[in-house]
Amino acid sequence: MKEGAKISTIPTRDDGIPTRRDVLMAGLGGLGLAALGLGGLASKQLVAQPLVYDLPAPPAVALAPTPACVDQPATDPSEEGPFYAPNTPLKTDFRRPGHRGRELVLRGRVLDVRCRPIPGAVIDLWQTDEDALYDNVDYGYRGHQFTGPGGEFEVTTVFPKGYLILGMVRSPHIHVKAQGARTRLLTTQIYFPEDAESHARDLLFNPRLVAELRQTASGPPVAIFDFVLEDA
Ligand SMILES: [Fe+2]
C-alpha cells in the first residue's frame, strides 16, 4: 500500500554512489532537481499558499515576546518535494504498531519574528518510515496538529531514513508546513545533527535547519526545533 518504489536508502560511499561533488561536476544536480519539480532551486522564491486546515481564531491580544528575544529571522524555507499529501489526519503519534524504527520525539514552538508564541498554528509533518518509504496512501508517518497556548507542538515518531532519488542523496529529514492565522505559510525540512556524513552529500541540506537533539534517561531522544513564521 505504500508508495516508495522510486526511492531507496542511502548506500555508503563505498557503494559507488556519487558524492555531492561528483553530482555537481557531472551536472546531474540540476537534472535531478528539475525532475523533482525543483528547478530554479537557488533563486526560486517559494510561493505561500494557505493550508486547507481551519485555523482557530487568534487571541484578541497577542502573547508577550519570549524573554531575552527582540527580533529573530524567519525559519528558512525548503522544498516541498514530491511526497506531500494534503488533508492529513490530526495526529501527534506517528508510530505504527510493531514498527522497527528508532523512536523520536520532536517538539518545539511556533513563534513570530518578534518572538511571540503563536497558539493555534497548524503544523503539518511528513517523513519516511524506517524503510525509507513515504506512505502516500494511508497517511503513515504524516499528520497535522495545532500549537498549544504557548505555541508548543510535539509529535512522537521514529527517526526518518534518508534515501536516494534520481541519483540525489537525501539526508534524513522531516518535512514541515506551518502557518498561523496571521502568518505566511512556511514549507521547510528539518535535519538531525547525527547525520553529518549524508548532510555533506545532500544538495538541499541547510545547516540552519538542524534540530537540537537531546538524549533522555528513559525515553527516546528529543529533537527540538522552533519555527519562526513571517507575518502575512
Ligand atoms: Fe523527503
Side-chain angles (χ1 to χ4, degrees):
M1 295 295 286
K2 288 183 291 186
E3 187 176 272
K6 294 179 181 177
I7 60 178
S8 58
T9 54
I10 299 175
T12 67
R13 287 172 184 266
D14 293 336
D15 292 325
I17 297 303
T19 64
R20 177 191 178 100
R21 181 177 180 277
D22 291 335
V23 171
L24 288 169
M25 292 297 288
L28 296 176
L31 177 62
L33 294 174
L36 286 170
L38 306 181
L41 175 68
S43 60
K44 187 174 77 173
Q45 187 71 28
L46 293 172
V47 177
Q49 296 179 337
L51 282 178
V52 296
Y53 305 111
D54 291 328
L55 295 171
V61 178
L63 298 177
T66 302
C69 174
V70 179
D71 289 311
Q72 56 186 345
T75 301
D76 288 350
S78 188
E79 299 300 325
E80 178 181 285
F83 297 107
Y84 171 67
N87 305 315
T88 59
L90 188 66
K91 197 189 325 183
T92 56
D93 189 346
F94 287 2
R95 294 171 298 178
R96 289 195 186 102
H99 72 82
R100 293 169 287 99
R102 180 179 162 219
E103 296 200 348
L104 167 73
V105 172
L106 170 65
R107 75 167 62 120
R109 295 174 301 160
V110 176
L111 308 168
D112 68 17
V113 291
R114 286 167 297 284
C115 313
R116 297 179 301 198
I118 304 176
V122 62
I123 290 271
D124 200 352
L125 305 158
W126 70 104
Q127 64 168 93
T128 56
D129 64 11
E130 64 267 39
D131 295 317
L133 297 176
Y134 286 102
D135 181 351
N136 279 70
V137 176
D138 296 325
Y139 296 104
Y141 292 98
R142 62 178 76 220
H144 76 277
Q145 61 182 278
F146 297 97
T147 55
E152 71 276 12
F153 69 92
E154 180 174 307
V155 62
T156 304
T157 182
V158 300
F159 278 90
K161 280 285 182 67
Y163 53 86
L164 190 64
I165 181 167
L166 298 174
M168 191 170 78
V169 169
R170 292 309 328 277
S171 197
H173 58 276
I174 295 180
H175 292 272
V176 183
K177 285 181 180 284
Q179 188 173 31
R182 296 179 175 132
T183 79
R184 296 168 62 97
L185 171 64
L186 170 70
T187 300
T188 193
Q189 306 178 21
I190 59 170
Y191 301 86
F192 303 94
E194 55 192 33
D195 301 316
E197 194 276 335
S198 57
H199 291 168
R201 302 162 66 196
D202 185 338
L203 293 169
L204 295 181
F205 173 70
N206 179 343
R208 291 187 293 274
L209 298 176
V210 178
E212 176 188 350
L213 193 63
R214 297 179 185 170
Q215 303 298 327
T216 63
S218 56
V222 177
I224 298 174
F225 196 93
D226 291 340
F227 296 95
V228 180
L229 307 186
E230 293 181 298
D231 294 343

